[in-house]
Amino acid sequence: MLKPLLLLLSQVDYDTDGGGMMGAIFGGAIGIVYLAIIVLMIIAWWKIFEKAGKPGWAAIVPIYNIIVLCEIVGRPAWWVVLFLIPCVNIVAHIMLSLDLAKSFGKDVGFGVGLIILPYIFGLMLGFGSATYVGPAAAQKA
C-alpha cells in the first residue's frame, strides 16, 4: 500500500514554473495594500475622535474606542455590550453609524455610506470639512 504512494510522489515535478514565487509576490502586494488601508483608517478615526473633542489615541484601544464612540454620538456606554452579542452588533453598528453622521451635521444618506462603504465615508468624515455639532442621540431624548 505504501509503495504505490511513494512511487506516485516520486514522479511529481516540483520545479515547474515558479508559481509559488508569483503567489508570494502577489500575496505580499495585497498585504501591503491591506496594511496601508488599515493605517489610513486608524488616522481617519483618530481625526474623527479629535474633531469630537475626544483623545485621538482612543481610536486604537479596543473596547474603549466603542465607549468613546458612544459618548460622541450620545449613546450610553453600556452599548459596548451590544457589540458582543451576535446579530445585535450589526443593528448597534447601523444605529451608531447613523448617529455619527448626524453628530457631524450629515444626513441619513451619509450614515448609510458609513455603513456600506466605511473606508471611503470614514476618510471623508475624518479628513473632510465636517464639524462636530454634538451628540445626535442625546438630542432625540
Side-chain angles (χ1 to χ4, degrees):
M1 183 74 173
L2 186 61
K3 191 172 183 175
L5 181 61
L6 290 174
L7 184 62
L8 181 65
L9 288 175
S10 68
Q11 295 176 355
V12 176
D13 185 15
Y14 293 105
D15 248 356
T16 53
D17 61 14
M21 179 68 81
M22 290 303 294
I25 291 171
F26 185 71
I30 293 295
I32 290 170
V33 169
Y34 181 65
L35 185 62
I37 290 171
I38 289 173
V39 169
L40 269 175
M41 289 309 298
I42 288 172
I43 294 169
W45 277 102
W46 191 297
K47 293 185 71 64
I48 289 169
F49 278 35
E50 285 183 343
K51 281 184 178 184
K54 301 294 180 184
W57 57 265
I60 59 173
V61 180
I63 307 296
Y64 182 63
N65 59 4
I66 300 172
I67 293 170
V68 172
L69 184 61
C70 287
E71 291 174 5
I72 290 171
V73 301
R75 297 284 178 186
W78 62 263
W79 267 49
V80 74
V81 175
L82 298 178
F83 280 86
L84 302 175
I85 304 170
C87 296
V88 174
N89 60 359
I90 297 170
V91 175
H93 171 70
I94 290 169
M95 293 178 71
L96 279 182
S97 296
L98 293 172
D99 287 341
L100 183 65
K102 292 175 187 172
S103 296
F104 279 89
K106 301 291 185 180
D107 58 352
V108 176
F110 195 89
V112 172
L114 278 171
I115 297 164
I116 297 174
L117 299 169
Y119 301 109
I120 295 170
F121 284 84
L123 290 169
M124 288 171 55
L125 196 59
F127 292 108
S129 62
T131 56
Y132 184 65
V133 295
Q139 294 170 359
K140 292 179 195 174

